[in-house]
Amino acid sequence: MNKFEYVNASSVKSATEQLQSDGSVRIKAGGIDILDELKERTINPKRLVNIKTVGGLKEIKEVKDSLHIGTLVTLSELASNKQVKTLFPALAEAALGAATPQIRNVATIGGNICQRPRCWYYRSEEFSCLKKGGNECHAHLGDNRFHAIFGNDKCAMVHPSATAVALVALQAKLKIEDTKGHRIVEIDNFFVKPEENAKAENILKPTEIITEVILAKPAVGSRNFYIKLKEKQSFDWPMADVAVAMEMAGGVCKAARVVLGAAAPVPWRAVAVEKALVGKKVDASVAEEVSRLAIEGAKPMSHNGYKLKVFETIVARALSVVASGDFSSKEGF
Amino acid sequence: MTVGQSVNRKEGRDKVTGAAKYVDDYHFQDIWYGKTVRSTVAHAQITGIEFLAGFDWSTVVLADYRDITSRNIVALIYDDQPLLAESLVRHVYEPILLIAAPTKELAELAAKHVHITYKKLPAVLTIEDSLSAEQKIFGDDNVFKSYTVTRGNVEDAFQSAEVVVEETYHVGHQEQLYIETNGIIATAKSDGTILIQGSMQCPYYVHRAIKELFGLPDEKVVVVQNVTGGGFGGKEEFPSVVAGHAALLAKKCGHPVKIVYERGEDFVASTKRHPAVIRHRTGLTRDGRLIAAEIDLTFDGGAYCTLSPVVLSRGVIHALGPYKCPNIRVTGKVVATNTPPNGAFRGFGVPQACFASEMHMENISRKLDISPVELRRKNMLHQGDYTLTGQQLTYSVGTQQVLDAVLERSDYLARRSHKQPELSNKRYGIGLSFYYHGGGFTGSGEEKIKGQAAVELTAEGTVRILTASTEIGQGTRTIFSQIVAQELGLRPEDVEFEENDTSKVPDSGPTVASRTCMVVGRVVQMAAASLKEEMAKRIASLAQCQASEIQFEGRHLLWQKDGEIISVSFAEAAERCMSRTGFLKTTAQYSSPPGIKWDDVTYSGDAYPVYAYAADVVEVEVDMDTFEVKILKVTTATDVGKAINPTLAEGQIEGGTVQALGYGLFEEVAWKDGKILNNRLTNYIIPTSLDIPDMETVLIENPYPYGPYGAKGIGELPMDGGAPALVAAIADAVGAVVTEIPATPERIMEAMEKLAVEA
């Protein structure tokens, strides 16, 4: 890695004041992904601004009908927080399934959402790809077993964040700050597809920081859940994951969000499934039937056709769990 | 009695407290850092090397092949691998140019300002392409080495076979993944001596490689092993490359030079397990007796020969497994490809051969509808039987014991009839493997090496062992100190070690081939026995008794005089023994057990002095929608001869089994254009503690008369059987046999689809 300056910020203001529009100054929270990027030489910043020294960003607060999660809340804290576990099991589960206990103890929610792709072409110095200013996506002609089955025409990366999948299902909002003030962004408008900007995965400017994740408490009768498939049982990004949030009345689905992870360059809403669920009394057989719609429009590549079957399966399982409300039975699958 | 006790690991405290000094913990004031500039193409002529402007080249020192004063080789078997490429590169990551700089950052920055141009040549990237020999990259046929072993009359026997079973098996690369990456510090002294220190398994391999590089005599090269964080074969021959690079830079820049690889570089640059394609054709009687076998193994050697001929040889000899077959022909070849050279890795050709042979037993059992256990019982080797090289097994044959033990401990028979839960999408499966591994070097290897070790008394009145066998985490120092303590009536803590330095310790041979305990341990035992004899002789002359009357017990020497027991402490006895000469040191050298015969030309005879045997039972649960495999339980039974330290022996078996399960289920190197895509632990998948279930490890002691206290080599054995037992368990669960590892969900799905089509 290159040599860089390291400074501790005392406030959001002092942190944002140091940021540069050319990206030469980087925010460091838990330091997990940024350290990887430094070591892999995908970035060469002049300065790292440590925001772990900033007060007030580590709390999970209840504000009226919402939960405000500070950007520095760690994955461990999310996974063990009583309110998160009760109201947003999908998020708790996504946080718990990430990385290892040691990493979860330092990795933050803000950093998790903003982590860069795990695509092995992007991470390797040997390959210059669209994300790094090159002119091709090597996954199209190379080994693409972990790549996208949706939205993969240009860059076939998959978004690596598991918590992002849950947060899209839960319709989170993000509080983003810079020197001029703050804005609140719907998470649906946060992630960007490669067609819009191949070099970034979201709308965050180099001069901005996410300071809070805001979740509205779910309506009565709502349930949410998350399932992740991985190759090894610890320290692994999703091979495929899904988050489901459903609002129900008398067993009938009123509204649903079904979001696929590791499927596309952004957390991918299975809109056809969401629509098909509305008005249905969801049980295991309905879950299986509608799960087939999850892969509608998919364009698998040469090595990732298996993902079609896998997504159908985990969507069906997640819907069954949500419909039954029996979260303990997930081990039975 | 200390042999047979699980005494604490000799170096354990230093390692867990952080006191142990690994090579990267050494800092010298004037040290410089080395960086290797590597090829980015698989096969090409180098047309130019450009040093770009924008960098101050006076701040660094460069070295290329022209700086090598004697031979530009990594000395090993064929001497075909250059230390630095000259005009041709034969694989991606091949070293071309070296840079030394006062800081790592500067060396890296300099490397970014080197631009190498190439004229690309067609690259041979697979075994199939190499065999077609359309593009010749080694000799006329791309074959580094081939072997044929024949016994009986294979053609006639196939004529009389009632059933013939044929199948081809594929295995891929595997990376050793020692915790500490490769690292060396080289210092060029003003008197012309080159001093090498670092992480390695075989100091004398590095010693020879550096001598060849610079044309130096023995005493002008000194190699010291630092505390080494694992090797698994990956630090058998490869450290010679790193040491050569560091030494070349040190000579040129006049500073000590440190090269410590980062994980990503270590992963792509160092050797891996050879991929292989192995075809079995087997003739049997209807009731499952093997009567004819044809086995063909093809290994991918990569761009240079390294240790490939020896790896292949071991694969060929172990190709059938621990079974009898009167008529057999095994052919093996290792071919060249434009990929990084493959080399030593725990198991050394056997994990490939064993996966194929044991999966073939699974296929035979299915085809003949004979239980896997019965098929093994019918064909297994017993004492007095002959192996495929015509070796008669006359002692320490634990085949039946390990099979009985693993079946009993795992409750295999009852669990195999386990009923599938009807309403679940999970299927249970149980699989068996049965295997063996020859200890020590193949054939005449040990006779050529004649490994030495010595034992001496210290000024403090204790004992010091002098050996080149390295501690790489497997417990060398602990078990050697137990052996010596046992011989001399001491405690293991009374035994210390000379620094592993080629100017101080004799050449015990390399720390490889499951030979450290069995072969070198025996030599250490012999040296200790000589020391004991010499001490007894000297004390007897002082005490005026017979040397044979003196006992070594409880840190004392004891004898009787006029009906009274006289006792003198070991330390005092040691002092008296050294009073005249100032030292007492005894050296011993290995000699083969009596009656060992081997013919290198016909590849027949006693391939190994003895074999260790094992059987594994693996239980799994397979998700029938996603084909995810969860390993539920592993039971192993191993005939170790004698466990010098049972905890360390179990550790070897459990650790090796985990590596084997990774080989079978997860580990796969992904490639594009000869480049490795997953050179990091986030995407080269190895089992984590959550992926590995509890293990039951049964040790069986069937003593080997020529090993220390009966011990046999078991370092590699546990790497052989885990993958086939796992894949057999998957087959039991899903009904289809996967013939290529790792057994990924996709491969399980394909095997099931293939089975459905055939049905």
Side-chain angles (χ1 to χ4, degrees), chain B residues 466-487:
Chain B
L466 296 91
T467 174
S469 289
T470 50
E471 172 65 58
I472 50 173
Q474 84 285 45
T476 302
R477 294 201 159 189
T478 312
I479 57 169
F480 281 9
S481 63
Q482 284 179 271
I483 290 168
V484 168
Q486 181 72 39
E487 285 297 313

Side-chain angles (χ1 to χ4, degrees), chain B residues 363-381:
Chain B
N363 272 320
I364 290 170
S365 130
R366 284 164 182 272
K367 184 135 182 189
L368 270 61
D369 199 18
I370 296 176
S371 90
V373 176
E374 196 191 334
L375 184 65
R376 264 104 177 166
R377 288 208 192 281
K378 271 204 170 118
N379 294 290
M380 68 161 63
L381 291 166

Side-chain angles (χ1 to χ4, degrees), chain B residues 484-751:
Chain B
V484 168
Q486 181 72 39
E487 285 297 313
L488 297 171
L490 297 171
R491 303 170 307 181
E493 53 267 41
D494 300 326
V495 182
E496 57 181 75
F497 283 81
E498 180 55 88
E499 191 180 12
N500 206 324
D501 172 330
T502 54
S503 67
K504 295 176 182 164
V505 298
D507 187 354
S508 313
T511 302
V512 303
S514 309
R515 65 187 291 280
T516 298
C517 178
M518 175 176 125
V519 173
V520 186
R522 172 71 165 181
V523 179
V524 166
Q525 185 189 15
M526 284 156 52
S530 303
L531 184 78
K532 181 175 168 180
E533 204 181 301
E534 189 55 36
M535 283 179 80
K537 220 192 289 175
R538 293 187 187 190
I539 296 297
S541 77
L542 294 173
Q544 294 177 340
C545 66
Q546 294 293 313
S548 60
E549 291 170 25
I550 299 179
Q551 305 290 313
F552 287 66
E553 262 178 51
R555 311 171 73 204
H556 282 76
L557 276 66
L558 314 164
W559 63 91
Q560 285 197 6
K561 196 164 186 187
D562 307 327
E564 227 180 297
I565 293 177
I566 312 236
S567 134
V568 50
S569 76
F570 187 92
E572 200 184 325
E575 199 187 323
R576 286 192 206 166
C577 286
M578 295 190 291
S579 62
R580 220 174 301 159
T581 50
F583 70 95
L584 179 57
K585 176 171 163 183
T586 52
T587 302
Q589 184 169 47
Y590 182 76
S591 62
S592 291
I596 292 269
K597 284 201 184 83
W598 175 255
D599 187 330
D600 269 328
V601 178
T602 60
Y603 242 63
S604 61
D606 301 315
Y608 301 97
V610 75
Y611 297 81
Y613 302 86
D616 294 353
V617 166
V618 174
E619 294 166 76
V620 300
E621 191 177 74
V622 183
D623 184 314
M624 297 304 282
D625 296 323
T626 61
F627 300 116
E628 289 170 284
V629 174
K630 183 177 179 186
I631 304 172
L632 301 172
K633 194 181 169 196
V634 180
T635 312
T636 65
T638 308
D639 171 15
V640 301
K642 167 77 184 173
I644 303 287
N645 184 317
T647 297
L648 287 180
E650 283 167 14
Q652 282 288 299
I653 292 166
E654 289 175 8
T657 302
V658 171
Q659 257 175 335
L661 295 171
Y663 187 45
L665 197 54
F666 298 120
E667 298 184 41
E668 188 170 18
V669 179
W671 299 86
K672 185 171 189 277
D673 309 329
K675 296 175 186 174
I676 294 175
L677 302 177
N678 54 343
N679 62 333
R680 47 177 55 78
L681 285 162
T682 54
N683 48 24
Y684 179 78
I685 307 294
I686 61 167
T688 66
S689 54
L690 289 185
D691 298 292
I692 297 301
D694 284 343
M695 286 191 201
E696 282 218 54
T697 306
V698 184
L699 299 181
I700 288 165
E701 297 187 327
N702 201 331
Y704 162 49
Y706 304 99
Y709 302 94
K712 302 195 271 194
I714 55 143
E716 295 171 281
L717 176 73
M719 180 69 230
D720 301 338
L726 168 75
V727 180
I730 295 170
D732 184 45
V734 307
V737 179
V738 175
T739 56
E740 180 169 5
I741 46 175
T744 55
E746 299 91 300
R747 292 201 175 112
I748 298 171
M749 189 170 84
E750 279 164 19

